[in-house]
Amino acid sequence: MSTSTDVRWLTTDEQRLWRGWLKLNAQLTATLAREMQEEAGLSSPDFEVLVNLTDSPEGRVRVTDLATQMLWERSRVSHHVTRMERRGLVQRANCEEDGRGAWVEITAAGRTAIEKAAPGHVETVRRLVFDALSPDEVRAFTHLVEKVQARAAAGAPVAEMS
Amino acid sequence: MSTSTDVRWLTTDEQRLWRGWLKLNAQLTATLAREMQEEAGLSSPDFEVLVNLTDSPEGRVRVTDLATQMLWERSRVSHHVTRMERRGLVQRANCEEDGRGAWVEITAAGRTAIEKAAPGHVETVRRLVFDALSPDEVRAFTHLVEKVQARAAAGAPVAEMS
DNA sequence: AAAGATTGATATCTCAATCTTT
DNA sequence: AAAGATTGAGATATCAATCTTT
């Protein structure tokens, strides 16, 4: 596909952005994970699942849809839901419309957990990210992120060829 | 630490940036991982280790330094190095200066592997990220990333309290 | 005792079957 | 057969000991 010659390597500026991006991301991820584990006993994947469930008005989402939204494998969703179910954070329910399908729904305990985690989470995001930026900078940043995302989305299919 | 009242939730603009950031990151990560696995047989963690080794002029880094640079646990480095050693990508060496320490050094096969992976990797990064941005936008983006990073670095110690 | 590193047990993730319903 | 979901086996990550050197 690509020859080892004629590669357009990154310029100094580009490399600086790319490495900065990677580093910032690693830092934010690590800090947020640690903080949430300590304050609410939730891992990042736990939190992500709960966020996706509460984003739905019914508080329930199909396994495949969860997988698509989170860019996870279906089997990972299934395993993780099993573990979260064991802890009482979510529960499965039969799907009426499609006998093959399964709902994953958040429980009262799950809502309690995410409500406990949310304030600290938001405060950390605010402290680490938004306290550093003016409203104008937030808009500029958003513009750039979305510009890149429009390209990246096309190049990131979960299942590409088969 | 934080009461459940008086939380400054994210504004609509802020939420848009934050969610966009998370999503873009997930997409880029997934695409780059898949691409590198297919083209060079390396996982993202494999690649990250090799990059950190080649960044050193000697091609070798101490276990603890690797852990610090990558924000990994030392034990994770140790386990991962063991597996990479089994595949011939890196090797351990005794540290003269400090009898407790251990060098991790890249092997010829390791260099071959990263050189095989690099062109495709760079091309993907260019295609997904930099083809969407003008040089001015790259600079603006860098400025914003580094501005946030300066804050986030302070809040992301690997080992905070003990 | 503290620092550097490894080890083993457990938890989580990935990949390839498998099972059920459409 | 294809889609939705689960299962089990193997790979990887995390956490708490352990071991050696300073």
Side-chain angles (χ1 to χ4, degrees):
Chain A
M1 184 65 66
S2 62
T3 66
S4 61
T5 52
D6 77 359
V7 176
R8 287 190 303 146
W9 300 101
L10 299 185
T11 67
T12 304
D13 278 0
E14 288 170 340
Q15 214 170 99
R16 184 170 163 189
L17 171 53
W18 181 240
R19 294 215 172 193
W21 168 278
L22 291 178
K23 188 161 197 176
L24 175 55
N25 225 33
Q27 287 171 342
L28 290 177
T29 303
T31 303
L32 289 169
R34 179 168 41 75
E35 193 260 351
M36 201 154 42
Q37 184 64 59
E38 288 173 359
E39 294 208 0
L42 294 179
S43 69
S44 296
D46 293 338
F47 185 72
E48 203 181 338
V49 168
L50 294 179
V51 166
N52 276 277
L53 293 181
T54 50
D55 273 352
S56 153
E58 310 280 347
R60 59 185 201 177
V61 181
R62 293 277 298 272
V63 170
T64 294
D65 295 334
L66 267 182
T68 303
Q69 291 166 212
M70 303 192 296
L71 298 178
W72 284 14
E73 307 241 337
R74 264 198 305 273
S75 79
R76 181 180 175 186
V77 174
S78 186
H79 281 303
H80 204 86
V81 163
T82 298
R83 291 188 296 260
M84 290 180 76
E85 202 170 16
R86 222 177 277 142
R87 296 157 59 200
L89 299 170
V90 301
Q91 62 193 16
R92 291 177 214 256
N94 290 337
C95 181
E96 316 300 341
E97 301 92 347
D98 189 335
R100 301 167 298 180
W103 291 107
V104 180
E105 58 187 35
I106 190 168
T107 62
R111 291 200 187 271
T112 303
I114 195 174
E115 280 162 13
K116 182 175 179 188
H121 183 74
V122 169
E123 275 181 28
T124 303
V125 171
R126 178 172 294 292
R127 178 167 52 85
L128 296 184
V129 178
F130 292 107
D131 281 353
L133 302 174
S134 71
D136 275 356
E137 287 174 325
V138 169
R139 275 189 292 278
F141 210 152
T142 305
H143 177 69
L144 292 169
V145 166
E146 290 182 352
K147 197 162 184 181
V148 173
Q149 201 186 333
R151 283 207 130 259
V158 170
E160 187 178 40
M161 51 190 66
S162 60
Chain B
M1 185 64 65
S2 63
T3 65
S4 60
T5 52
D6 78 359
V7 176
R8 287 189 303 148
W9 301 102
L10 299 184
T11 66
T12 305
D13 279 359
E14 289 170 341
Q15 213 169 102
R16 184 170 162 188
L17 171 53
W18 182 239
R19 294 215 172 194
W21 170 279
L22 291 178
K23 189 161 196 175
L24 175 54
N25 220 44
Q27 287 171 342
L28 291 177
T29 302
T31 303
L32 289 169
R34 180 168 39 75
E35 194 260 351
M36 200 155 42
Q37 183 65 59
E38 288 172 359
E39 295 209 0
L42 293 178
S43 69
S44 296
D46 294 337
F47 185 71
E48 203 181 338
V49 168
L50 294 179
V51 166
N52 276 278
L53 292 181
T54 50
D55 273 352
S56 153
E58 310 279 347
R60 61 186 200 176
V61 181
R62 293 277 297 273
V63 171
T64 294
D65 296 333
L66 267 182
T68 302
Q69 290 165 214
M70 303 192 296
L71 297 178
W72 284 14
E73 307 239 338
R74 265 198 305 273
S75 80
R76 181 179 174 187
V77 173
S78 187
H79 281 303
H80 205 86
V81 163
T82 298
R83 291 188 296 262
M84 291 180 76
E85 202 170 15
R86 221 177 276 142
R87 295 157 60 199
L89 299 170
V90 301
Q91 62 193 16
R92 291 177 215 255
N94 290 338
C95 182
E96 316 300 342
E97 301 91 347
D98 189 336
R100 300 168 300 181
W103 291 107
V104 180
E105 57 186 36
I106 190 168
T107 62
R111 290 200 187 272
T112 303
I114 195 175
E115 279 161 14
K116 182 176 179 188
H121 183 74
V122 169
E123 275 181 28
T124 304
V125 171
R126 179 172 294 293
R127 179 168 50 85
L128 297 184
V129 178
F130 292 107
D131 281 354
L133 302 174
S134 71
D136 275 356
E137 287 174 325
V138 169
R139 274 189 292 279
F141 211 151
T142 305
H143 177 69
L144 292 169
V145 166
E146 291 182 352
K147 196 162 185 180
V148 173
Q149 201 186 332
R151 283 208 129 259
V158 170
E160 188 178 40
M161 51 190 68
S162 59

